[in-house]
Amino acid sequence: QVQLVVSGGGLVQAGGSLRLSCAASGNIVYIKDMGWYRQAPGKQRELVATITSGGSTNYADSVKGRFTISRDNANNTLYLQMNSLEPGDTGVYYCNADVHSSWTEPSQNYWGQGTQVTVSS
């Protein structure tokens, strides 16, 4: 089994910054793609950013230039640096990862617990 533990959420004023962390632990041989998702009240969960094991990144248009996704493969940790935060960034943020727990079996997808990010104006 694999666990994703998220930390770093909080309340900030517009224009401020936060850094989210997602630490994976458990039965891990290799982590492929990882990503951040968020869900605002009454809205669908949406993709924020993804990063491959090789470091290639993808961002939602709404966060390009403001957010940076990164990972520390040695520590199985994912990060999301959020700068120039806007009220529209408010929501519950989730960590996601495709994890191999065996060299010979397919990877499995895992979700971390949500962490609240609130941006006030």
Side-chain angles (χ1 to χ4, degrees):
Q1 187 58 261
V2 172
Q3 299 81 43
L4 304 179
V5 179
V6 179
S7 61
L11 192 157
V12 295
Q13 294 186 81
S17 298
L18 283 174
R19 188 172 82 152
L20 306 183
S21 299
C22 172
S25 62
N27 190 16
I28 300 170
V29 171
Y30 178 74
I31 302 179
K32 295 194 296 182
D33 298 343
M34 305 184 79
W36 291 99
Y37 295 74
R38 68 186 182 189
Q39 187 167 23
K43 298 183 66 177
Q44 295 280 89
R45 185 177 299 186
E46 65 176 353
L47 186 146
V48 176
T50 60
I51 185 167
T52 68
S53 60
S56 297
T57 59
N58 233 341
Y59 296 92
D61 288 341
S62 60
V63 307
K64 284 180 180 177
R66 300 187 298 117
F67 291 10
T68 302
I69 188 171
S70 61
R71 61 192 286 172
D72 180 351
N73 292 329
N75 294 296
N76 293 324
T77 303
L78 176 72
Y79 302 97
L80 184 67
Q81 179 66 47
M82 303 184 293
N83 298 326
S84 302
L85 283 162
E86 305 168 353
D89 296 318
T90 293
V92 178
Y93 283 67
Y94 299 89
C95 174
N96 180 267
D98 288 314
V99 180
H100 277 279
S101 293
S102 168
W103 289 113
T104 58
E105 297 298 319
S107 64
Q108 292 186 262
N109 187 257
Y110 295 89
W111 289 96
Q113 90 284 5
T115 188
Q116 178 69 42
V117 171
T118 302
V119 184
S120 65
S121 59

